[in-house]
Structures are given as C-alpha cells and as structure tokens.
C-alpha cells in the first residue's frame, strides 16, 4: 500500500514507523522533505493513526515542539474507510496547502499568517530550507529533537555542532 513511500520501521514493528513525506508541488512547502512518525493503534483502521512531524515545520496547525498535527479528519472524523494513503496523498498535502490559522497548534505561526502573510511565507520557506532537507531526515530522532537548532553561532559562543565537548585547550 505504501510502496511509493520510503518507510522506516521502528523496533521492527508494524505499528510504529516513519514515512518520508515531500511538500506539495507549487506550495510554500514544495521541495521540503519531512520524516512523519506514524503510530497505528491496535484498533486500526477503526481508530485513527497518530501522525507527527519529526523534523521542524512552520505551520499554524502543527505544534512546533512536538510535531503533533491538528487535523480534524485524523483527530475527530476518522473513518475505517480511510487508510494511510489518504493521510499522505490527501490529508497532509491539504493541510499544508490550506492552513487554518483560526484553529492553531502554533499560535505564533497563526498570528503571523493573519497579520503579515508575506513575512509568514518567508518564515515557512526559511524553515523548509533549514529543517526540511533530505539530510535532515536521515539524522536520528534524538539529533533532530536536540533543541539546538535555534541557537545561532553568536549565541552558542561560536561553536559549531561539530565541536566536541571535553577537549582541552592546546
């Protein structure tokens, strides 16, 4: 069913896995690549899957810290007639194409979208460039979620991610 997608199982289970997801063509997210974490409940397809972005995305309906998705069709109106192809080919692309700032999980993104659409669009593109590249999704979840992404070189004292702690000065 998911043969057109790169799927990475977690702990060799069939109910917990990551899927490579590409932003919809001709959208602000075009060219972006995200790792989507999927957890299927034991009662799937009668109960909806849990869906979340692993690498960062700037969107009013996606929690920036947890990656949780606010999408009625998954969270409230799920039907056993839906499957994972619906999630990846319809629901997530629609979410990215048509954000709903009046029902936000990311209040900053929703506010910016409503107040200054041009600045919002620019921030979406910056996040895509910074966090949604193929190399970002090949990192482990621990590396992606380390929380150090927002610290600039000046704020970190000029150290790069490649610097190793514990080396003595020569």
């Amino acid at each position: 069913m998911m043969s057109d997608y790169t799927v990475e199982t977690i702990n060799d289970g069939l109910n917990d896995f990551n899927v490579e997801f590409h932003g919809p063509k001709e959208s602000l997210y075009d060219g972006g690549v995200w790792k989507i974490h999927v957890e299927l409940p034991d009662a799937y397809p009668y109960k909806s899957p849990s869906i979340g972005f692993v690498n960062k995305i700037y969107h009013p309906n996606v929690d920036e810290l947890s990656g949780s998705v606010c999408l009625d069709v998954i969270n409230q109106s799920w039907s056993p007639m839906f499957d994972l192809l619906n999630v990846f080919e319809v629901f997530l692309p629609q979410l990215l194409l048509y954000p709903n700032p009046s029902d936000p999980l990311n209040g900053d993104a929703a506010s910016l979208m409503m107040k200054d659409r041009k600045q919002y669009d620019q921030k979406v593109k910056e996040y895509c460039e910074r966090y949604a590249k193929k190399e970002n999704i090949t990192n482990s979840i621990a590396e992606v979620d380390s929380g150090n992404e927002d610290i600039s070189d000046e704020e970190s004292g000029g150290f790069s991610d490649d610097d190793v702690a514990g080396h003595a000065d020569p």
Side-chain angles (χ1 to χ4, degrees):
M1 175 171 67
M2 298 287 292
S3 62
D4 291 339
Y5 294 89
T6 302
V7 177
E8 165 191 79
T9 59
I10 299 173
N11 298 328
D12 295 323
L14 297 176
N15 289 2
D16 197 12
F17 50 92
N18 294 317
V19 177
E20 184 178 306
F21 174 72
H22 295 259
K25 299 279 184 225
E26 299 178 21
S27 76
L28 294 173
Y29 301 93
D30 190 3
V33 183
W34 288 270
K35 184 185 286 189
I36 306 294
H37 183 229
V38 179
E39 286 183 56
L40 300 179
D42 291 337
Y44 178 83
Y46 301 101
K47 190 170 183 227
S48 66
S50 174
I51 305 290
F53 285 81
V54 175
N55 46 327
K56 285 188 175 193
I57 184 168
Y58 194 74
H59 190 284
N61 310 113
V62 179
D63 184 276
E64 188 172 2
L65 296 176
S66 71
S68 296
V69 175
C70 180
L71 192 57
D72 285 346
V73 74
I74 293 175
N75 298 330
Q76 295 164 354
S77 58
W78 180 262
S79 163
M81 294 182 353
F82 300 142
D83 60 24
L84 290 176
L85 282 179
N86 293 116
V87 171
F88 288 97
E89 294 185 359
V90 180
F91 304 153
L92 286 178
Q94 291 292 312
L95 178 75
L96 297 187
L97 287 165
Y98 307 106
N100 180 5
S102 62
D103 186 21
L105 280 176
N106 181 337
D108 291 339
S111 177
L112 187 59
M113 182 182 181
M114 291 189 288
K115 291 178 183 170
D116 188 344
R117 185 60 190 246
K118 189 174 181 179
Q119 191 176 354
Y120 166 82
D121 291 355
Q122 183 59 38
K123 193 152 186 176
V124 167
K125 290 176 185 175
E126 286 172 12
Y127 267 59
C128 287
E129 190 61 38
R130 188 167 184 186
Y131 303 112
K133 296 296 175 198
K134 185 83 168 173
E135 56 269 18
N136 297 116
I137 67 168
T138 57
N139 294 335
S140 73
I141 293 172
E143 290 171 331
V144 172
D145 288 345
S146 67
N148 293 329
E149 295 93 346
D150 292 333
I151 298 174
S152 69
D153 282 344
E154 296 109 39
E155 293 169 355
S156 66
F159 297 107
S160 76
D161 291 340
D162 296 330
D163 292 332
V164 178
H167 285 277
D169 291 330

